[in-house]
Amino acid sequence: MTDDPGSHAFDELVRRFNSPLLVVTTCDGHERAGCVVGFHGQCSISPPRYSIWLSRANRTYRIAMFAEYVAIHALGLDDRDIAALFGGTTGDDLDKFAYCAWTSGPSGVPLVDRLPNRMIGRPVAFLDDRAADHVCAVIAPERVSLSASRLRPMYLTDANDVEPGHEAEEGAV
Ligand SMILES: Cc1cc2nc3c(=O)[nH]c(=O)nc-3n(C[C@H](O)[C@H](O)[C@H](O)COP(=O)(O)O)c2cc1C
């Protein structure tokens, strides 16, 4: 099957890449936010950098723009409830942090207790393709923690039933 970008073949190809899912949290000094992120990847080896893409429609994007730190947590297969909370609801309507155990990290960035495989880092650059509905934040990791046991990641195809709290189209420019 071949097709034009933006149509079915593109969506299907990316679905087959099947990226692992993250929960990205942040705090701007006043308010906390966090959402599920499937668009991400390492983007430098030395120095280490990790990129995450945030939808302009999301509250997490609006808070991250002014945050000193973000925390990037790996979701495990057993974390369906956390995925539904952070991916299926929006902080515009609900205080997600009233529904999960968390600890305050540097500059108040919330660390989700159930998700120990994580990095905390500073956003050092943003890439804003004005035509796109997501904005890239490049993160310089400062602290990394790992669980003692092996992570069984949750992948995109494991979360087919989670309806995003905000549709990306809401943030289109
Ligand atoms: C499987 C899945 C993958 C997602 N990937 C992203 C992503 O890469 N970037 C993003 O900003 N939102 C992504 N979302 C959407 C947000 O997690 C969702 O809209 C969330 O409710 C936004 O919450 P907020 O408004 O509190 O930030 C994804 C959602 C799901 C279910």
Side-chain angles (χ1 to χ4, degrees):
M1 172 177 47
T2 58
D3 221 336
D4 293 329
S7 57
H8 179 69
F10 174 81
D11 292 345
E12 176 57 20
L13 179 63
V14 173
R15 203 183 70 84
R16 291 180 186 187
F17 292 168
N18 206 14
S19 44
L21 296 180
L22 310 173
V23 169
V24 171
T25 57
T26 191
C27 175
D28 64 3
H30 305 282
E31 298 187 57
R32 289 179 286 274
C35 73
V36 167
V37 165
F39 297 167
H40 59 90
Q42 183 171 355
C43 56
S44 172
I45 298 168
S46 183
R49 295 284 187 266
Y50 205 86
S51 61
I52 53 169
W53 294 80
L54 296 174
S55 165
R56 267 184 252 276
N58 291 350
R59 184 167 184 277
T60 305
Y61 161 75
R62 299 193 297 270
I63 303 290
M65 286 294 105
F66 302 99
E68 198 175 351
Y69 285 99
V70 301
I72 298 175
H73 310 71
L75 276 164
L77 264 185
D78 298 331
D79 302 315
R80 294 200 53 80
D81 54 332
I82 302 278
L85 177 65
F86 281 92
T89 69
T90 169
D92 290 332
D93 301 333
L94 179 87
D95 177 9
K96 302 181 194 189
F97 298 96
Y99 294 89
C100 66
W102 59 279
T103 306
S104 187
S107 296
V109 62
L111 309 176
V112 180
D113 293 353
R114 279 263 303 282
L115 308 178
N117 292 284
R118 66 169 92 102
M119 64 179 97
I120 304 168
R122 290 177 193 267
V124 290
F126 290 95
L127 172 63
D128 186 346
D129 164 1
R130 294 299 298 163
D133 47 29
H134 284 61
V135 172
C136 176
V138 177
I139 307 304
E142 290 190 2
R143 297 187 201 173
V144 181
S145 67
L146 298 169
S147 60
S149 56
R150 206 169 128 250
L151 171 72
R152 292 190 308 142
M154 180 182 295
Y155 293 101
L156 201 56
T157 48
D158 297 316
N160 283 335
D161 56 335
V162 181
E163 286 292 325
H166 276 301
E167 291 299 339
E169 296 77 27
E170 296 170 39
V173 283

